[in-house]
Amino acid sequence: MNFSDLRIPTKLKLGFGIVILISLIVSTMVFLNARSIDDASFKNVRANRLNATGQKAMGDLATARAELATFVVNRDPGSRSRFETATSSFQAKMAEYEKTTSVEAQRERTKKLQTLGRDYTSRAEALFAIAANPARQSEAISTLKTANDTGDIESLGTELLQVAQERIDVRTGEQNAAYDWTVQLLIFGGIAGLISSMGMAWLMSNQIGAPVAGITAAMRRLAEGDNEVPVEGAARKDEIGAMASALLVFRDQAVAKVKAERLKADADAEQNRLVTSLSDGLDRLSKGDLTAQIEGNFSAGYDTVRANFNEALTSLRALIGAVSESAAAIRTGSGEIAQASEDLARRTEANAASLEETSAAITQMDGRLKATAQAANRTAVRADDAISTVRGGREIADEALQAMTRVNDSAKGIDSVIEGLDKIAFQTRVLAMNAAVEAGRAGEAGRGFAVVADLVSALAMRAEEEAGRARDQLTATQTDIVSAVEMVRKVDGALADITGGVGEVHSLVSQIATDNQSQSTAVSQISVAIGTMDQSTQQNAAMVEQTSAAARNLSSEVSALAEQAAKFDVGAQPARKPARSAPAKAASSYVSPVRSLPASISAHAGGDDWASF
């Protein structure tokens, strides 16, 4: 498929799609490089932190060595604590380094450094023990060089830091390379986007702009009347091809219009001749001459008009003659119809009056039935309220019964407490008696104790008496509670009986309301039916009245029609039979016997007019 045959939206989508695709490719590569730069930066930050941790650990080791030498030479007590702090910090930083690093070789070096550090700490502790004895200071000084040797730790630590620094340098190089590649990608993407945009702009101008300009110029020449204007691009399959094809159609239509105008000029001349003949014939026809026909020859299209006019004139002559004959017969029949309609209207009046009285009586019955149904409904609502109130009373009685049951249970617990107090008082009295016996054995020295024992015994006896009285009172209370519970149960039973009775009353009242509603509905339907019958009767009467009036008007109109028909010249006609005359009453002397429909009945009967009947 050629590019020029693609539709304009497809061309635009394809062009912008290429530009967007180039931008997307460049953006994706820039994003990936940015991610690699960010990843390298993150790893460098972490490596720098690890390197700083390692350097701090080696600094702690140097501090520990200095503090050990200070203690051996000066026996400074603070040097030992500072040594322990430095070695602990060294071990902690090495452990942190081991946990953070992701390189297995570095992790092994930190483990080895921790082991060497612990060995160094063990040697230092032994040296601290020797240096703590003043008599062995010279021995400690001679041992200091060997015990304080950390060359293996320092060399391994230096190796650890060098490896970390090398990894930092490698990542820094990768980061710089990714940054340079990102800059190159941005430059390449900008150039590619500019070139693709310029190429698409040129292509769109060549494929869309230039053809549209050509079609616009052709349309302008066609609008100025140049029907020979060439139209290019009609063979294309896009929107421009469709526009060129449409412009060709406009050009062909313009050529056809010129030819049609020439033919119309020829037809107008013959049309004017026919119009002149028709005008003469219609002028004679307006004066009552029905024998005026069009003579002469015309072309096929217009000769049909001449023949139709002559046939219509012939039919009109026959029609006027027939109208004259029928007018007399219609005048006689219309008088008879008017007389019969007046008699029918009087009979309809009596039927309408009877239906009106019946409808009024049924309306009153309907109102009473509706009032009874509403009263029954209100009674049912009151019964529902009574049932709800009784149910609330039953719930309150049930709650009171439960509360009394709980009080009875609590009284049983109080009885147990009183029994315990009684036992305690008895045991107290026994103890007081034993104390009095012991006081008697003690003689003069136990006399005061005997007096206290007597008082305690008296108090215990009084407690026993009070406990007995409380038990009696509690027993009476329990008896009253049992009686109250029984009474509440009887009240609940009575409320249940009341609920059942009110429910039956509610059912009966609801049935009465339903029956009354059904009767009201039936009576309403009867009222609507009677209203409809009354309306139909009224409509019949109105129709009869209008029929009578129409018959009288018809009689007068037929007379006028006969007079007008006599004015036409229809040529020789056969003799007509004389029409028999019938007496007709004047329209103004007739009064309608039908009364208007009551508003209450009309509302039920609907809004149909007599024409729909």
Side-chain angles (χ1 to χ4, degrees), residues 387 390 394 494-507:
I387 290 174
V390 172
R394 290 194 66 190
L495 291 176
D497 295 338
I498 293 172
T499 301
V502 173
E504 293 178 358
V505 171
H506 178 270
S507 299

Side-chain angles (χ1 to χ4, degrees), residues 270-271 273-275 277-278 294-313:
E270 188 174 4
Q271 183 179 1
R273 187 164 64 90
L274 177 63
V275 169
S277 300
L278 283 174
I294 299 176
E295 305 294 339
N297 297 322
F298 296 91
S299 62
Y302 293 109
D303 190 65
T304 302
V305 176
R306 180 192 63 78
N308 292 338
F309 178 81
N310 293 335
E311 291 177 0
L313 198 61

Side-chain angles (χ1 to χ4, degrees), residues 411-431 456-471 474:
K412 293 179 181 180
I414 295 172
D415 186 36
S416 299
V417 173
I418 292 172
E419 184 178 359
L421 293 174
D422 194 8
K423 292 179 180 179
I424 292 171
F426 176 74
Q427 292 176 359
T428 302
R429 190 157 55 85
V430 171
L431 291 174
V456 171
S457 177
L459 182 60
M461 291 179 65
R462 185 175 179 184
E464 288 180 358
E465 292 175 357
E466 292 297 329
R469 291 176 60 191
R471 184 180 291 108
L474 185 60

Side-chain angles (χ1 to χ4, degrees), residues 316-329:
L316 184 60
R317 285 199 302 270
L319 174 64
I320 294 299
V323 167
S324 299
E325 294 177 358
S326 300

Side-chain angles (χ1 to χ4, degrees), residues 65 68 120 123 144-154:
R65 291 185 64 206
L68 177 60
Y120 170 71
R123 294 196 306 269
L144 176 62
K145 184 176 181 181
T146 303
N148 206 17
D149 184 12
T150 58
D152 52 351
I153 298 177
E154 291 176 356

